[in-house]
Amino acid sequence: MRVAVFGANGPTGRHLTDQALAAGHEVVAVTRRPGSLPARPGLTVAVADATDPAAVDAALGGTDAVLSALGSRFSKETITTYSASATAITGAMARHGIKRLLTVSSSIADPDWRPTGAHFFNHVLDPLVNRRLGHTLHEDMRRMETVIRQTNLDWTLVRPSGLFEHPTVTDYHTAATSADGVFTARVDLAASMLRELEERRYICTAMGVITTTVKPNIAKLIWNEGVKKK
Ligand SMILES: NC(=O)c1ccc[n+]([C@@H]2O[C@H](COP(=O)([O-])OP(=O)(O)OC[C@H]3O[C@@H](n4cnc5c(N)ncnc54)[C@H](OP(=O)(O)O)[C@@H]3O)[C@@H](O)[C@H]2O)c1
């Protein structure tokens, strides 16, 4: 399959690109920063801001499916990256007749999801990071989900929990709507999206994905995701 990957130079997008190429797909890596992606067999780099409808339209010509791992940083200001990119991507897909879309969202986008982790996560990290600092981001993620739900595409909203780095794919768990767990390795998130591309178990619904067999070190997680990534 020829798949477009949005956010291809981001941490999840890199796993998606590597795993898709390894699985024998051709990848069109869509990015604002082409220099960040080294040339490899099977990889085409398309330069586009994902919120620019004309640029997205040009990038998607000739692709069979779209995988998006786009993301934005937390901000006090209104965030529109998720909803604006969803509008541009779904519009271009409709014009090109591309039906299959898998987009990364979050467990937080499920209004009924509640963390069932350790006390510190449930009572400190989740309320402070997800609900307060991440408020505007998650508002826009919900707008993105609404944009996608209103299309006639074969969409899947992929909802991971707190992301962390792990070197190898684990025996991750998926569930309809959202999954009961607080962490997801990015490598598992990417693997679940590529498996769902083949299996089509969660068409026109949300798929939760969590990692259960390994856990991140919380201090490392806060350093990597909250401090180093900025
Ligand atoms: N962190 C968590 O715990 C957590 C939990 C649940 C869900 N999520 C979601 O999971 C997704 C992936 O997260 P991540 O940490 O792996 O990646 P990330 O750091 O959020 O990467 C974002 C990617 O999106 C690209 N991007 C942003 N705006 C763009 C635009 N307008 N046009 C083109 N590219 C654009 C960035 O490219 P540039 O390099 O050009 O900026 C980058 O490649 C995000 O949507 C995030 O919100 C995260």
Side-chain angles (χ1 to χ4, degrees):
M1 230 183 264
R2 187 168 168 85
V3 296
V5 175
F6 282 85
N9 65 332
T12 300
R14 283 179 187 274
H15 288 299
L16 260 179
T17 301
D18 292 349
Q19 292 182 21
L21 289 171
H25 296 296
E26 284 177 50
V27 174
V28 178
V30 189
T31 176
R32 297 182 287 197
R33 296 187 292 124
S36 62
L37 291 167
R40 275 179 284 171
L43 179 70
T44 305
V45 176
V47 184
D49 184 310
T51 62
D52 175 345
V56 170
D57 199 273
L60 290 189
T63 59
D64 304 307
V66 176
L67 308 172
S68 174
L70 285 166
S72 178
R73 299 235 167 94
F74 287 173
S75 169
K76 281 189 209 148
E77 312 302 324
T78 302
I79 289 174
T80 57
T81 302
Y82 295 91
S83 53
S85 60
T87 302
I89 291 168
T90 57
M93 288 179 70
R95 276 189 296 280
H96 286 288
I98 307 161
K99 285 291 281 178
R100 189 71 174 112
L101 171 66
L102 293 100
T103 302
V104 177
S105 177
S106 169
S107 303
I108 310 286
D110 174 2
D112 296 326
W113 184 86
R114 288 291 172 273
T116 51
H119 184 86
F120 179 66
F121 188 91
N122 298 350
H123 299 284
V124 181
L125 280 187
D126 183 56
L128 177 68
V129 178
N130 290 336
R131 314 283 169 176
R132 190 179 297 177
L133 298 176
H135 180 69
T136 56
L137 186 151
H138 293 121
E139 270 184 346
D140 195 43
M141 231 174 211
R142 290 189 194 97
R143 286 191 289 271
M144 169 189 82
E145 289 204 347
T146 303
V147 168
I148 291 172
R149 283 176 190 283
Q150 287 169 347
T151 69
N152 293 321
L153 303 174
D154 292 343
W155 50 267
T156 304
L157 299 167
V158 184
R159 290 172 166 169
S161 294
L163 296 180
F164 69 101
E165 287 299 337
H166 185 69
T168 49
V169 176
T170 73
D171 188 14
Y172 61 84
H173 174 67
T174 63
T177 310
S178 62
D180 182 10
V182 293
F183 296 114
T184 306
R186 286 188 174 89
V187 72
D188 287 344
L189 171 58
S192 72
M193 292 172 77
L194 289 167
R195 191 172 79 184
E196 172 56 19
L197 180 65
E198 304 289 338
E199 292 186 355
R200 300 174 62 85
R201 289 175 63 204
Y202 299 96
I203 299 284
C204 295
T205 188
M207 173 181 86
V209 53
I210 50 162
T211 298
T212 52
T213 56
V214 290
K215 281 188 186 147
N217 173 302
I218 294 288
K220 250 194 201 170
L221 185 77
I222 293 172
W223 174 256
N224 286 337
E225 304 296 328
V227 182
K228 206 168 116 191
K229 206 175 159 193
K230 287 205 165 128

